[in-house]
Amino acid sequence: MTQRKPNQPVISKHNKPSNRKREQSAVNHKAWLRHHRDTALDSLLRLVRQPVSSALTWLVIAISLTLPTLFYLALTSLQQQTVQWQEGGQITLYLRQTVSEADGERLTDELNARAEVLRAHYISAEEAWASFRETLNLSRSPFATENNPLPASIVVIPTQQNNQQLEVLRILIDGLPEVEEVQLDLAWIERLNRFIDLIYRIVAGLAALLGIAVLLVVGNTIRLAIESRKAEIQVVKLLGATEAFVRRPFIYLGLWYGLFGGLAAWMLVSLVIWWLSGPLAAFLSTYGLTAPIAWLSVFETLLLILAAILVAILGARIALWRHLKDAEPQ
Amino acid sequence: MIRFDQVSKRYEGGHEALSSVNLHIQKGEMVFLTGHSGAGKSTLLKLITRTETCSSGQVRVNNQLLHRISRRQVPFFRRHLGIVHQDHQLLMDHTVYDNVALPLVIAGEHPKDISRRVRAALDKVGLLKREKYRPIQLSGGEQQRVGIARAVVKKPVILLADEPTGNLDPALSKDIMNLFAEFNRVGTTVLIASHDLGLIARLNYRVLSLNQGKLMTTPFDGAQS
């Protein structure tokens, strides 16, 4: 510890001790980097030398990560699909008998101009009557000559389809004086949205649980590694190794487990998608639907691998925190 | 260099391994520590390496009060010590070279320096040709010499040895002791715990003897080399 004398200038160009100190710290920094590199390589070699047990650990990590990833993929593609399906969700406004056809058309144009409305379509009383009779095949029946009992109507397809925005549109329509009655065909959209919310929760919970599983698997593997190298840890501690020096190989071990586990998870996910995409497309086509293309994007893949690495390192840290105390020199 | 003032060590459960020990080992001295097993030799060495801390009193090593240094500083303190164990504590899955290089790697020395200094240390213990061997391929005496090379490779100010000849025959033991004497001649302070009284008697160094946790000799008596 060097303390500056009170009268010494704060900045001096030829401050030899500080130069030496800087050189020393540069040397230390290099040594530190060198040790990181050597340790990372050594940990990797340790994994490669035991290919079977390493691969098993990677596989366990991969399976734990694959399930939530697949759920996540299914959900995002389901949401893309529902945007199309929601066009089936519509609001029918039955107009008062007193409203003329011209007024009805004008109201339809007004609704079409609104941002909340994707499309509004006017159906006059005559059109409704004609389609009604056709549907029920009544053209030759005695009812054919009866007066038209049906009102004119406007079919509105909303733009925004989450529940709150739908509510806003409903209040707006309720205030229109021309409208006699409103029929909402939106209940199933509401149900779908709530269902998706529920599934999101389930996926998040599942991801958290399986994340903990990865944590435990890596933690236990690292615990065994610490156990098997206990004598070595005790020796290096007596030779003056810092805690960081002792921890480093195990942290890197965790990092490699996470990286390879994450890569294996990505392969497993791709395999499952490939395995399911054919039958899924065939199944959906029976409903007249096209199967979504759901592959992990580059960003999502990187995120998956990064998450695996972070969880694995955390597992290693927990194991070190719990078990390094047992490896104090005797 | 090593100074104990009224040092006692009580383990959990009440067993008192050391009681009121006073001793002073000066810089450049070579001292033997004897006593029956259980007399407290190992405890005394553990207090010096800060593997244990004393229950009362003060231990001062290399001008540092050991109860004052924090956990974080312990590794840096230990880098000034060279420690030789009875069972040599070599890493069996590493080569002789790697074992001896370990203290230098831990201290973050440059690889070029490391190879030069490891070879110098191996040369001194006469094992230069064995650097690529694994410890398991060496004899007991050779393994102990690797342990000594590892202890001295960083040129420690203090060399501690716990029963370094415990598993060796008399001829080998004498060689090992001569090695320690050589390091002592170039200025290293040496403290050797041993119960090999016959061997110690033939060497002319100060002897500290422990009996049931108490130091029998006064701090400065005995022959001084």
Side-chain angles (χ1 to χ4, degrees):
Chain A
M1 290 265 227
T2 52
Q3 264 190 347
R4 195 159 45 79
K5 285 172 192 158
N7 292 331
Q8 203 175 319
V10 177
I11 302 161
S12 83
K13 276 189 177 173
H14 307 286
N15 197 339
K16 274 189 179 171
S18 105
N19 274 349
R20 208 178 302 141
K21 215 173 177 182
R22 203 176 303 139
E23 276 167 28
Q24 187 59 39
S25 101
V27 166
N28 287 344
H29 189 65
K30 267 190 186 162
W32 181 79
L33 279 178
R34 200 165 47 233
H35 185 247
H36 265 276
R37 187 197 59 201
D38 294 349
T39 313
L41 204 65
D42 183 62
S43 297
L44 182 61
L45 286 176
R46 269 169 202 276
L47 284 186
V48 174
R49 274 194 222 112
Q50 307 173 318
V52 177
S53 70
S54 300
L56 281 177
T57 308
W58 297 338
L59 200 62
V60 174
I61 295 171
I63 291 169
S64 305
L65 292 172
T66 298
L67 277 171
T69 309
L70 282 176
F71 267 105
Y72 166 80
L73 272 179
L75 208 60
T76 44
S77 51
L78 180 68
Q79 276 207 314
Q80 280 166 22
Q81 285 290 303
T82 54
V83 171
Q84 292 166 33
W85 295 345
Q86 279 175 5
E87 296 214 357
Q90 59 183 36
I91 307 170
T92 310
L93 316 178
Y94 294 104
L95 303 180
R96 292 177 196 284
Q97 297 284 8
T98 50
V99 178
S100 70
E101 203 166 317
D103 283 343
E105 299 258 18
R106 191 174 40 72
L107 182 62
T108 308
D109 289 344
E110 273 175 28
L111 284 171
N112 259 328
R114 298 199 72 96
E116 297 93 337
V117 176
L118 182 68
R119 210 161 54 241
H121 172 59
Y122 179 74
I123 299 166
S124 69
E126 283 71 36
E127 280 167 353
W129 183 230
S131 110
F132 177 71
R133 282 191 307 179
E134 203 179 304
T135 319
L136 294 185
N137 216 351
L138 294 176
S139 44
R140 266 175 239 141
S141 77
F143 294 110
T145 52
E146 289 278 316
N147 279 339
N148 177 7
L150 298 178
S153 61
I154 302 173
V155 175
V156 175
I157 297 167
T159 322
Q160 305 294 346
Q161 305 261 339
N162 78 34
N163 292 338
Q164 281 157 351
Q165 284 159 327
L166 283 177
E167 200 56 39
V168 171
L169 188 60
R170 191 184 305 186
I171 291 164
L172 170 86
I173 287 164
D174 278 345
L176 292 173
E178 295 94 334
V179 175
E180 169 100 65
E181 204 188 326
V182 179
Q183 193 199 323
L184 288 158
D185 196 9
L186 294 169
W188 75 272
I189 290 181
E190 229 171 280
R191 279 190 207 118
L192 185 68
N193 282 336
R194 297 221 188 284
F195 179 68
I196 288 174
D197 284 350
L198 176 70
I199 297 289
Y200 254 124
R201 280 278 171 98
I202 292 173
V203 172
L206 202 69
L209 273 179
L210 291 166
I212 292 171
V214 172
L215 208 69
L216 293 176
V217 167
V218 175
N220 198 45
T221 312
I222 301 288
R223 180 182 67 82
L224 292 175
I226 294 171
E227 207 72 24
S228 74
R229 292 175 73 181
K230 204 167 159 180
E232 189 181 339
I233 294 170
Q234 287 170 344
V235 169
V236 297
K237 274 194 173 174
L238 265 184
L239 294 175
T242 57
E243 289 283 312
F245 184 97
V246 173
R247 276 198 212 110
R248 207 163 289 150
F250 300 103
I251 300 281
Y252 273 107
L253 211 55
L255 182 142
W256 294 122
Y257 276 126
L259 176 64
F260 289 110
L263 284 172
W266 176 78
M267 283 193 272
L268 216 55
V269 167
S270 304
L271 195 73
V272 172
I273 293 172
W274 168 80
W275 176 248
L276 291 182
S277 58
L280 183 70
F283 168 73
L284 285 176
S285 71
T286 59
Y287 286 89
L289 296 169
T290 49
I293 303 152
W295 288 99
L296 282 176
S297 69
V298 175
F299 176 71
E300 284 164 335
T301 306
L302 288 177
L303 206 65
L304 172 67
I305 292 169
L306 192 71
I309 290 174
L310 287 180
V311 172
I313 287 179
L314 189 66
R317 287 213 77 114
I318 291 172
L320 284 166
W321 169 68
R322 297 255 297 111
H323 300 287
L324 215 51
K325 282 180 235 137
D326 306 340
E328 279 295 322
Q330 298 294 307
Chain B
M1 204 40 128
I2 301 173
R3 180 172 208 129
F4 278 48
D5 286 316
Q6 293 292 327
V7 172
S8 297
K9 174 66 185 175
R10 220 166 292 107
Y11 285 105
E12 277 173 54
H15 171 61
E16 191 164 58
L18 289 177
S19 50
S20 303
V21 171
N22 288 302
L23 68 85
H24 186 194
I25 297 171
Q26 280 171 325
K27 192 168 169 16
E29 240 190 307
M30 175 148 157
V31 176
F32 283 99
L33 179 65
T34 64
H36 300 289
S37 48
K41 296 194 300 282
S42 297
T43 303
L44 196 142
L45 289 180
K46 279 180 192 170
L47 289 178
I48 297 173
T49 59
R50 187 85 164 42
T51 312
E52 300 280 358
T53 48
C54 55
S55 314
S56 64
Q58 274 190 352
V59 180
R60 188 188 283 273
V61 178
N62 195 22
N63 289 323
Q64 282 183 289
L65 274 172
L66 294 199
H67 63 273
R68 288 265 175 81
I69 64 175
S70 67
R71 268 180 63 92
R72 274 176 177 281
Q73 289 170 310
V74 168
F76 301 99
F77 160 73
R78 284 186 185 150
R79 288 179 194 182
H80 297 293
L81 309 179
I83 305 166
V84 178
H85 306 265
Q86 177 174 9
D87 54 350
H88 46 75
Q89 301 256 359
L90 299 175
L91 305 182
M92 289 301 169
D93 53 348
H94 288 73
T95 60
V96 166
Y97 178 96
D98 286 344
N99 268 289
V100 177
L102 202 53
L104 302 172
V105 172
I106 288 169
E109 304 285 341
H110 194 273
K112 266 187 201 157
D113 278 344
I114 291 179
S115 85
R116 187 175 50 76
R117 292 167 71 175
V118 168
R119 297 224 161 82
L122 281 174
D123 193 26
K124 225 172 272 174
V125 299
L127 288 174
L128 197 51
K129 290 195 175 122
R130 299 274 200 270
E131 64 170 43
K132 296 216 170 70
Y133 284 50
R134 308 226 160 218
I136 206 84
Q137 295 168 288
L138 304 179
S139 70
E142 286 173 324
Q143 289 182 6
Q144 191 54 286
R145 284 191 294 182
V146 175
I148 293 172
R150 186 181 67 185
V152 299
V153 71
K154 257 202 100 215
K155 296 209 176 1
V157 291
I158 301 172
L159 189 54
L160 301 170
D162 190 2
E163 302 285 359
T165 60
N167 300 327
L168 304 178
D169 61 51
L172 280 172
S173 301
K174 199 158 178 298
D175 285 352
I176 297 286
M177 289 306 178
N178 286 337
L179 258 177
F180 283 118
E182 243 176 79
F183 290 117
N184 175 241
R185 265 199 289 282
V186 295
T188 313
T189 310
V190 181
L191 174 61
I192 302 167
S194 175
H195 59 250
D196 192 350
L197 293 172
L199 181 63
I200 294 169
R202 265 176 274 131
L203 300 161
N204 192 23
Y205 292 106
R206 181 150 75 105
V207 178
L208 302 170
S209 120
L210 275 170
N211 188 10
Q212 297 189 330
K214 290 194 170 68
L215 202 59
M216 292 289 103
T217 41
T218 53
F220 283 105
D221 77 346
Q224 190 99 24
S225 68

